[in-house]
Amino acid sequence: MARRGKLTDEELKIINAKITDEEALKKFIRDCHLRNLRPSTIKYYNNELAATKTCLVEIGIVKEVVELDQEDIETLILHLKDKIRVVSINTRLRAVKAFFNYLEKNKLLYSKNPTKNIKQLRDRQRIMETLEDDEIVQVARHIKNQESFVGYRDYAIFMLMIDTGIRLSECVGIKIDDVRGSKVIIRSTKNLKERTVYPTAKTQDAISRYMKLRGELHHKFLFVNNDNEPLRRRSVQTRFEKYKEALKFKKQLSPHVFRHTYAKRSIMSGMDAFSLAALLGHSDLTVTKKYVALWGADLEEMAKKYSSINRLKI
């Protein structure tokens, strides 16, 4: 058969075929698994990309995500600004950019990367909530006084988190063998690098007493629910939300607040940023410096405390 003239519609479909969202997402998630990303990270990508498709319908963009151009992304951002916070928009943008960067790297895009010139939205820095000494005591006593297994378990969790600054995912991932006297090995880390934290004597005592209440079980996870199954993150969050209501606290009682409290107290006690970054499991000093910068009033006190000029006879 002679091959002259224009291609047929069927032939044009062959050369102009584009990858679908379903195919692209499948390849992207497969790559995430190959790179051994955490299940929570993969779930985050799935959720944010699904939410992006929903938003496209809301604003009337009848395209696959893989077909979006820069103007579409900008329209999406403007739409989201009226619906969710800047920090949530940036969270979604990170997922979308990761998705398109993967497609670009693997030559699966049929046009330019639409997120290449898209920047994170500027957000006003807010002072992070932290707990004061009297608030820590109030919370600890209230939880401890529950006189129940769950209550004492929550007390041990609170003491461990406020005393070491570990993340919630790291806390529920601790196993019995990870508790070694004055040390706790943290394995379920965000950056996949194990580290060691050092709870103080009071926290060690709380964990030791809790372990006696826990007893021997069919699994090795340290923190368990009433059914002796490994504790879930959401369960911990729900428990502390109830404590907040019971205590009529205006501040949040959340693992994030406990982590920020630990960071602030460590800084105020004179801990250097390098040590704090290592104990918190930060890959670099960027986030650690952010912690330091956010407590403006406290920085004034630190500046005065460590200034050497006043000691000079000038």
Side-chain angles (χ1 to χ4, degrees):
M1 182 179 66
R3 295 186 178 274
R4 298 186 181 89
K6 292 184 177 181
L7 295 174
T8 65
D9 289 341
E10 289 301 317
E11 289 171 330
L12 286 172
K13 284 182 181 180
I14 293 173
I15 65 172
N16 292 325
K18 294 183 178 180
I19 190 170
T20 65
D21 282 353
E22 184 179 356
E23 293 168 334
L25 181 61
K26 186 176 180 180
K27 289 178 179 291
F28 174 61
I29 296 302
R30 181 176 183 273
D31 181 70
C32 290
H33 283 293
L34 288 172
R35 289 186 287 132
N36 200 30
L37 297 188
R38 299 172 69 208
S40 58
T41 301
I42 296 173
K43 182 179 179 181
Y44 149 68
Y45 284 141
N46 266 314
N47 290 344
E48 293 299 336
L49 291 169
T52 299
K53 284 184 73 70
T54 300
C55 282
L56 293 177
V57 175
E58 291 175 358
I59 56 183
I61 296 180
V62 188
K63 289 182 179 180
E64 294 267 277
V65 174
V66 293
E67 297 176 323
L68 298 180
D69 55 33
Q70 182 173 323
E71 186 176 349
D72 293 327
I73 300 294
E74 292 169 350
T75 301
L76 182 65
I77 292 171
L78 292 174
H79 171 71
L80 291 174
K81 284 182 69 175
D82 294 328
K83 298 188 63 177
I84 58 179
R85 297 180 303 161
V86 169
V87 65
S88 299
I89 296 174
N90 285 336
T91 297
R92 185 160 302 169
L93 281 177
R94 280 193 291 273
V96 173
K97 285 177 75 72
F99 177 62
F100 277 107
N101 287 342
Y102 165 78
L103 296 180
E104 181 181 34
K105 179 182 177 181
N106 289 275
K107 295 180 172 55
L108 296 172
L109 285 176
Y110 291 84
S111 59
K112 294 181 180 179
N113 184 340
T115 65
K116 190 170 185 177
N117 298 318
I118 299 293
K119 307 296 184 184
Q120 294 276 293
L121 275 64
R122 291 181 59 188
D123 193 15
R124 183 177 300 170
Q125 282 196 339
R126 297 173 176 83
I127 301 299
M128 292 181 181
E129 275 191 335
T130 57
L131 300 179
E132 302 300 328
D133 287 0
D134 60 326
E135 293 170 327
I136 293 173
V137 172
Q138 187 180 357
V139 173
R141 286 178 177 173
H142 174 77
I143 300 175
K144 191 176 182 180
N145 289 340
Q146 301 299 306
E147 295 187 347
S148 65
F149 171 77
V150 168
Y152 200 83
R153 177 206 66 195
D154 293 347
Y155 170 70
I157 289 174
F158 176 70
M159 291 294 290
L160 181 59
M161 298 190 81
I162 205 80
D163 195 22
T164 64
I166 61 174
R167 301 177 178 92
L168 177 55
S169 59
E170 296 171 340
C171 184
V172 298
I174 295 172
K175 295 184 178 179
I176 293 291
D177 295 341
D178 297 331
V179 180
R180 304 176 184 179
S182 62
K183 302 177 182 180
V184 177
I185 310 301
I186 305 300
R187 303 185 191 279
S188 301
T189 62
K190 192 174 182 179
N191 57 14
L192 300 180
K193 295 179 181 178
E194 292 184 6
R195 72 181 190 281
T196 303
V197 295
Y198 307 88
T200 53
K202 284 185 179 179
T203 301
Q204 291 175 40
D205 180 65
I207 294 174
S208 177
R209 292 174 187 271
Y210 162 75
M211 288 173 70
K212 290 178 181 178
L213 290 175
R214 175 192 180 280
E216 292 292 331
L217 299 175
H218 64 284
H219 61 81
K220 293 294 184 180
F221 284 95
L222 175 63
F223 294 113
V224 300
N225 59 24
N226 271 328
D227 298 318
N228 290 328
E229 295 301 325
L231 193 60
R232 296 180 180 275
R233 287 185 294 176
R234 185 55 196 157
S235 298
V236 178
Q237 293 168 328
T238 300
R239 292 291 301 173
F240 281 100
E241 286 167 4
K242 290 181 177 179
Y243 293 137
K244 168 184 161 61
E245 293 176 7
L247 289 164
K248 297 181 180 179
F249 262 39
K250 291 185 178 179
K251 291 181 180 179
Q252 296 297 317
L253 284 184
S254 70
H256 282 304
V257 170
F258 305 155
R259 185 169 168 83
H260 297 159
T261 299
Y262 169 77
K264 177 182 177 181
R265 291 170 66 83
S266 298
I267 291 168
M268 294 305 296
S269 297
M271 183 183 290
D272 65 274
F274 295 99
S275 297
L276 181 59
L279 289 168
L280 288 174
H282 290 162
S283 299
D284 56 55
L285 289 175
T286 305
V287 180
T288 316
K289 289 177 180 177
K290 181 180 178 182
Y291 282 155
V292 176
L294 284 173
W295 296 304
D298 298 319
L299 284 178
E300 180 180 355
E301 182 180 332
M302 291 291 284
K304 291 177 180 178
K305 179 180 178 181
Y306 288 100
S307 174
S308 60
I309 296 298
N310 279 338
R311 295 195 289 270
L312 300 179
K313 295 181 179 180
I314 54 177

